[in-house]
């Protein structure tokens, strides 16, 4: 397979900056209007979900936009209604929540790896559209993105991570399994789309052979799908700093008690630390 032609940096960086500025406008609209936004990021392992989320949130207020990436459910959570642990992370008014993996774990990794029963899987396919319709009916803005990558490109990214000690933590035994179960995951995704690609909450596929194009396309689509407007910021002006109060003359001052240049040690010749400053 030929190497993917990447979007030139000279094109990518200005466009990304423009879109990120629009994301800030979206954030301010969400906050002022009390809107609730949920963005679901799903897809193949190493398809670029995490790096896209990073670009989406880079300039956003973490009190408004937050990332939810849940760990393996606890023993107690396994006895709850399946959607229950996700419901508590849904946004309140004026918030944006980005799910880095979501309730669709049941239709993907749990289905393929046998972590759920056939009955649990069938129940999920039945309940998920109902659950999402309830969210949308209640006024929540739900967007779902599936990041797609070829098997060759996925393997290249895995090998790159394996050789990089700074990114090796991204690899897990489950990632290794995804190589040998590629066809199983493809079938699971297709069946998931059949049941959960509904008019109220459709899936949007992001082709991510080139991560730069994937980020630009995903952010641009998200912005185009929400009818936000630019909210004028309040006029702010720095006030005059008041003059020092009379008592400020008695504030403690710091003064050196001795020269601060290092002095050689008489016995070893090693430099000693500068003398400490004393406040008083």
């Amino acid at each position: 397979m030929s190497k993917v032609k990447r979007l030139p940096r000279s094109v990518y960086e200005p466009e990304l900056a423009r879109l990120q500025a629009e994301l800030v406008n979206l954030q301010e609209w969400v906050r002022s209007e009390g809107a609730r936004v949920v963005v679901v990021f799903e897809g193949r392992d190493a398809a670029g979900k995490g790096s896209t989320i990073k670009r989406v949130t880079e300039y956003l207020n973490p009190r408004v936009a937050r990332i939810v990436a849940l760990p393996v459910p606890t023993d107690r959570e396994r006895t709850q209604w399946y959607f229950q642990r996700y419901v508590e992370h849904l946004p309140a008014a004026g918030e944006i929540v980005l799910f880095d993996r979501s309730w669709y774990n049941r239709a993907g990794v749990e289905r393929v790896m046998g972590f759920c029963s056939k009955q649990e899987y069938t129940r999920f396919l039945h309940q998920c559209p109902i659950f999402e319709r309830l969210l949308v009916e209640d006024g929540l803005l739900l967007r779902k993105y599936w990041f797609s990558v070829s098997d060759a490109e996925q393997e290249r990214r895995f090998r790159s991570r394996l050789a990089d000690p700074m990114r090796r933590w991204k690899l897990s035994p489950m990632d290794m399994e995804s190589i040998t179960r590629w066809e199983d995951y493809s079938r699971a995704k297709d069946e998931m789309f059949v049941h959960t690609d509904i008019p109220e909450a459709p899936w949007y596929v992001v082709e991510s052979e080139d991560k730069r194009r994937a980020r630009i396309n995903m952010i641009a689509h998200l912005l185009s799908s929400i009818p936000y407007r630019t909210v004028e910021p309040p006029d702010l002006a720095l006030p005059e700093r008041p003059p020092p109060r009379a008592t400020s003359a008695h504030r403690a001052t710091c003064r050196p008690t001795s020269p601060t240049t290092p002095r050689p040690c008489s016995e070893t010749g090693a430099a000693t630390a500068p003398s400490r400053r004393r406040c008083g």
Side-chain angles (χ1 to χ4, degrees):
M1 181 179 179
S2 60
K3 188 176 180 180
V4 176
K5 185 178 180 180
R6 301 180 71 187
L7 185 67
R9 189 178 296 275
S10 60
V11 176
Y12 166 71
E13 291 184 346
E15 180 63 7
L16 178 62
R18 185 188 71 81
L19 292 172
Q20 288 176 323
E22 285 300 315
L23 285 169
V24 173
N25 289 335
L26 171 63
Q27 168 192 265
E28 294 308 296
W29 175 82
V30 167
R31 186 158 59 173
S32 68
E33 294 294 322
R36 294 169 293 160
V37 179
V38 168
V39 186
V40 170
F41 291 79
E42 291 287 348
R44 295 281 189 177
D45 294 321
K49 299 179 296 296
S51 63
T52 303
I53 292 172
K54 181 179 178 180
R55 271 63 176 192
V56 169
T57 59
E58 189 170 4
Y59 295 103
L60 301 185
N61 185 340
R63 293 182 179 86
V64 177
R66 54 190 168 87
I67 302 167
V68 175
L70 298 185
V72 174
T74 64
D75 290 340
R76 181 176 181 276
E77 287 172 334
R78 287 190 180 96
T79 66
Q80 297 173 345
W81 178 47
Y82 177 72
F83 295 92
Q84 187 169 333
R85 75 183 190 127
Y86 296 100
V87 168
E88 64 180 282
H89 295 282
L90 293 175
E95 293 181 348
I96 302 170
V97 173
L98 298 93
F99 279 95
D100 185 356
R101 300 289 192 188
S102 65
W103 46 88
Y104 282 101
N105 278 341
R106 174 135 296 177
V109 64
E110 291 190 21
R111 167 65 168 167
V112 172
M113 300 303 297
F115 296 153
C116 66
S117 67
K118 183 171 179 55
Q119 182 183 18
E120 289 172 328
Y121 171 70
T122 303
R123 186 185 305 125
F124 170 83
L125 293 180
H126 169 69
Q127 291 184 350
C128 185
I130 300 172
F131 172 66
E132 292 180 354
R133 285 189 181 103
L134 289 173
L135 297 181
V136 174
E137 184 180 307
D138 198 59
L140 190 144
L141 300 172
L142 175 61
R143 301 294 181 268
K144 305 186 303 191
Y145 293 95
W146 176 271
F147 284 71
S148 179
V149 69
S150 68
D151 52 353
E153 179 62 17
Q154 182 193 61
E155 184 174 344
R156 188 194 68 77
R157 294 176 186 177
F158 280 164
R159 293 188 184 280
S160 175
R161 292 178 180 182
L162 198 60
D164 185 352
M166 301 296 286
R167 297 188 302 140
R168 187 165 181 161
W169 62 269
K170 291 186 174 184
L171 288 175
S172 70
M174 217 59 63
D175 294 323
M176 301 298 99
E177 284 280 352
S178 69
I179 295 177
T180 58
R181 295 175 182 261
W182 179 269
E183 295 297 332
D184 294 335
Y185 275 103
S186 294
R187 283 190 290 269
K189 184 263 290 185
D190 291 343
E191 188 169 1
M192 178 186 78
F193 274 22
V194 168
H195 290 85
T196 63
D197 185 29
I198 58 176
E200 298 85 348
W203 278 105
Y204 299 103
V205 177
V206 181
E207 297 295 339
S208 58
E209 290 291 288
D210 175 11
K211 287 186 179 182
R212 291 177 183 173
R213 283 187 169 85
R215 295 165 193 158
I216 295 295
N217 290 337
M218 181 268 150
I219 297 173
H221 180 272
L222 175 64
L223 291 168
S224 70
S225 72
I226 298 177
Y228 72 98
R229 58 178 175 80
T230 300
V231 177
E232 293 299 326
D235 291 329
L236 299 175
L238 289 178
E240 292 287 338
R241 191 180 299 277
R245 296 180 182 177
T247 56
S248 64
H250 303 288
R251 288 182 299 180
T253 57
C254 291
R255 60 182 183 274
T257 57
S258 61
T260 58
T261 54
R263 300 185 300 274
C265 176
S266 58
E267 295 182 0
T268 63
T272 59
S275 299
R276 295 182 180 273
R277 290 175 178 265
R278 184 177 64 213
C279 291

